[in-house]
């Protein structure tokens, strides 16, 4: 669709001179795409500085029937912020922390605040904002909420949805909904904020949010255990959870191949254990109290697990640096995997009790499909959310491998659904997984989604063609 020149003029006039970017080199970061799967293009990137400016731009677009792609840090992995000749509305200049209420344990941030800056603002108040993910230096709160981002501390604190108490949203007709309430209890009708969280920009534009703060951890124990099987990894998770309770903040799985890739490609990393193990479990315990008891808890559980033959070897970080080194092994897996050629990535979830059966079945099935294929299974064991990212066989042409992505997806996603799971636990639907949504959620669920979409965005100007 070509956007009328007069509309572009009106949008430019609705914001200050630094509030828009036309086609050219300055537009590049806004039309880039994380996975290079799509070519994004837009006649105008508009960067409003206030909610009122966002509303003014939306009203102009609504009157003209022209579509908008909301955009945060543009780090999303499913093409949700890709423009196909629509107006890109970037929230990046709306980056103020509007308020911090330490007594209410809340922080009110504009949508364009970079996640790391929100973490920092909380930290300066001696509080914790627990959302944490690899892209935190670039992704923005509005994008985090619109994708209901997860990350490594969901086990303890929940995902973005669980961390949000209130929202301000510009609706598809340009009205501003002020739902910036910092309440933990409010049963006055439908919980409308939940409709916009995870909607990937298809229902309205989030302009600000009231976020929950938590006491800062003062005691921490980080450990890595080597185990011989997935069932042992899961048993260990249950034991630690039983003993450490809510102190268990993260429980991450790394399979042998993922650790091998990291040791091979990421400078400065070293093997966590003396020997190689089939799987590794990274455990982090944190507590707001300062009694220093968590290391003893970790020692006790791991010593007993070794004695019982469940764990083959384990290491507990003796310093903050050692803890960071253990986390680095986990966090650099995606980067290391890039060095091994083409890969097809997944972020499935299954009930925790079925993770072992799932990974075994999916591994066997993809190995049968393409001999020599190299599945890498890692991720959020404690949430049942596994990144089952599959590298090409060594020596195969990347393009030949990637041409099989649909066959691979079919196996990986079918098995997740058979296990009562999800084909996307973290990254969302965007453009990449629309077909999967139709396939696995067709019927009542997609009907209801479309009813919502039509009700909130009757002229289909909010990120059209994404999700449903
Ligand atoms: P964008 O990419 O700009 O947008 C994402 C979607 O939200 C788009 O559909 C867009 O239209 C919409 N949107 C953005 N802002 C708004 C708004 N204000 N109002 C309405 N709609 C909006 N994800 C996880 O869940 N867990 C992880 O651990 C994780 N790790 C990652 C690590 C790396 C290295 C990278 C590159 C990505 C990772 N991601 C992860 C994916 C991504 O970072 C998250 O989905 C993030 O929350 C997206 O935020 P963003 O600001 O970059 O959003
Ligand atoms: Zn993840």
């Amino acid at each position: 669709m070509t956007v009328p020149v007069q509309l572009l003029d009106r949008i430019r006039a609705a914001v200050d001179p630094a509030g828009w970017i036309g086609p050219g080199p300055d537009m590049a970061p806004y039309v880039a795409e994380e996975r290079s799967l799509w070519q994004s293009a837009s006649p105008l990137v508009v960067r409003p500085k206030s909610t009122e400016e966002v509303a003014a731009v939306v009203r102009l677009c609504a009157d003209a029937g022209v579509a908008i792609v909301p955009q945060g840090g543009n780090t999303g992995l499913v093409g949700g912020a890709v423009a196909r000749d629509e107006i890109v509305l970037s929230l990046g200049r709306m980056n103020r922390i509007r308020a911090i209420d330490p007594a209410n344990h809340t922080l009110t941030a504009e949508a364009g605040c970079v996640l790391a800056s929100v973490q920092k603002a909380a930290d300066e108040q001696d509080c914790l904002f627990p959302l944490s993910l690899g892209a935190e230096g670039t992704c923005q709160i509005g994008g985090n909420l619109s994708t209901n981002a997860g990350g490594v501390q969901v086990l303890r604190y929940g995902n973005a949805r669980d961390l949000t108490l209130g929202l301000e949203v510009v609706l598809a007709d340009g009205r501003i909904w002020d739902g910036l309430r910092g309440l933990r209890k409010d049963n006055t009708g439908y919980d409308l904020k939940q409709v916009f969280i995870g909607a990937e920009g298809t229902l309205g534009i989030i302009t600000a949010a009231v976020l929950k703060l938590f006491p800062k951890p003062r005691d921490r124990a980080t450990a890595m255990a080597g185990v011989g099987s997935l069932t042992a990894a899961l048993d260990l998770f249950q034991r630690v959870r039983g003993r450490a309770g809510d102190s268990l903040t993260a429980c991450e799985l790394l399979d042998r191949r993922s650790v091998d890739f990291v040791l091979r490609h990421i400078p400065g990393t070293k093997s966590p254990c003396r020997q190689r193990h089939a799987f590794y479990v990274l455990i982090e315990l944190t507590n707001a109290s300062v009694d220093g008891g968590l290391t003893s808890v970790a020692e006790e559980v791991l010593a007993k697990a070794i004695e019982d033959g469940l764990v083959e070897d384990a290491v507990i970080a003796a310093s903050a640096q050692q803890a960071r080194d253990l986390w680095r092994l986990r966090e650099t897996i995606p980067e290391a995997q890039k060095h091994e050629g083409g890969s097809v990535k997944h972020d499935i979830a299954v009930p925790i009790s079925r993770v072992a059966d799932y990974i075994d079945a999916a591994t066997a099935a993809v190995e049968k499909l393409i001999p020599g294929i190299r599945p890498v299974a890692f991720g959020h064991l404690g949430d049942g959310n596994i990144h089952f990212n599959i590298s090409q066989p060594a020596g195969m042409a990347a393009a030949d491998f990637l041409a099989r992505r649909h066959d691979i997806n079919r196996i990986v996603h079918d098995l997740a659904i058979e296990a009562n799971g999800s084909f996307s636990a973290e990254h969302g639907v965007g453009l990449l997984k629309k077909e999967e949504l139709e396939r696995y959620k067709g019927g009542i669920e997609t009907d209801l989604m479309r009813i919502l979409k039509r009700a909130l965005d009757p002229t289909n100007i909010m990120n059209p063609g994404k999700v449903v």
Side-chain angles (χ1 to χ4, degrees), residues 33-320:
E33 192 275 303
E34 188 67 38
R35 287 184 161 168
S36 309
L37 292 175
W38 295 274
Q39 188 60 50
S40 186
S42 171
L44 186 72
V45 174
V46 59
R47 303 170 69 225
K49 218 171 159 33
S50 66
T51 305
E52 289 68 29
E53 283 190 7
V54 174
V57 171
V58 173
R59 272 195 306 274
L60 288 169
C61 290
D63 289 347
V66 165
I68 298 169
V69 177
Q71 192 177 87
N74 200 17
T75 69
L77 298 173
V78 292
V82 165
R84 293 166 299 175
D85 298 325
E86 298 102 338
I87 305 285
V88 171
L89 193 151
S90 164
L91 281 298
R93 290 209 307 159
M94 286 192 62
N95 57 3
R96 279 186 317 130
I97 304 286
R98 285 193 194 162
I100 298 186
D101 184 346
N104 194 40
H105 308 288
T106 51
L107 177 155
T108 305
E110 290 186 340
C113 288
V114 169
L115 173 55
S117 72
V118 174
Q119 295 165 344
K120 184 160 172 279
D123 190 67
E124 282 164 7
Q125 298 294 319
D126 210 23
C127 291
L128 172 76
F129 180 61
L131 188 65
S132 170
L133 45 111
E136 64 197 24
T138 313
C139 63
Q140 299 172 6
I141 284 297
N144 297 146
L145 298 190
S146 300
T147 58
N148 185 27
V152 290
Q153 305 202 84
V154 171
L155 183 56
R156 167 83 167 272
Y157 299 101
N159 43 32
R161 192 183 292 289
D162 303 299
L163 300 172
T164 308
L165 293 178
L167 282 189
E168 179 187 82
V169 180
V170 172
L171 305 176
D173 59 8
R175 284 182 299 164
I176 300 169
W177 170 49
D178 178 357
L180 286 176
R181 288 181 286 267
L183 300 175
R184 274 147 184 98
K185 302 183 91 172
D186 179 13
N187 283 346
T188 50
Y190 303 142
D191 191 351
L192 294 174
K193 66 179 178 295
Q194 298 299 355
V195 170
F196 296 97
I197 299 174
E200 301 183 46
T202 60
L203 301 179
I205 300 177
I206 296 174
T207 47
V210 184
L211 305 168
K212 282 190 203 169
L213 299 180
F214 294 83
K216 220 157 102 174
R218 300 191 198 283
D219 186 13
R220 185 183 301 267
T222 309
M224 183 82 89
V227 294
S229 69
L230 282 162
T231 34
L234 282 163
D235 283 355
L236 177 65
F237 164 62
Q238 301 299 357
R239 280 193 187 201
V240 179
R241 193 180 174 101
R243 177 64 181 84
D246 276 350
S247 303
L248 178 57
T249 311
C251 183
E252 297 284 309
L253 177 78
L254 301 80
D255 72 355
R256 176 188 292 179
R257 185 173 280 132
S258 63
V259 173
D260 286 349
F261 282 3
V262 167
L263 298 178
R264 191 177 304 157
H265 299 294
I266 308 293
T269 52
K270 53 181 187 299
S271 177
C273 305
R274 282 177 298 258
Q275 279 162 4
R276 288 167 84 228
H277 302 275
F279 296 94
Y280 299 81
V281 183
L282 176 60
I283 292 160
E284 185 149 280
L285 311 180
T286 62
N287 228 332
S289 68
V290 280
D291 66 2
L294 290 178
T295 302
S296 334
V297 172
E299 276 167 4
E300 183 198 309
V301 183
L302 290 170
K304 182 80 172 68
I306 290 174
E307 192 185 308
D308 295 345
L310 189 66
V311 166
E312 295 171 347
D313 192 8
V315 49
I316 298 176
S319 65

Side-chain angles (χ1 to χ4, degrees), residues 150-152 252 330 347 378-380 385 387 426-427:
V152 290
E252 297 284 309
R330 161 64 184 87
D347 61 318
F378 67 97
H380 319 294
N385 167 204
H387 294 295
E426 279 197 325
H427 302 154

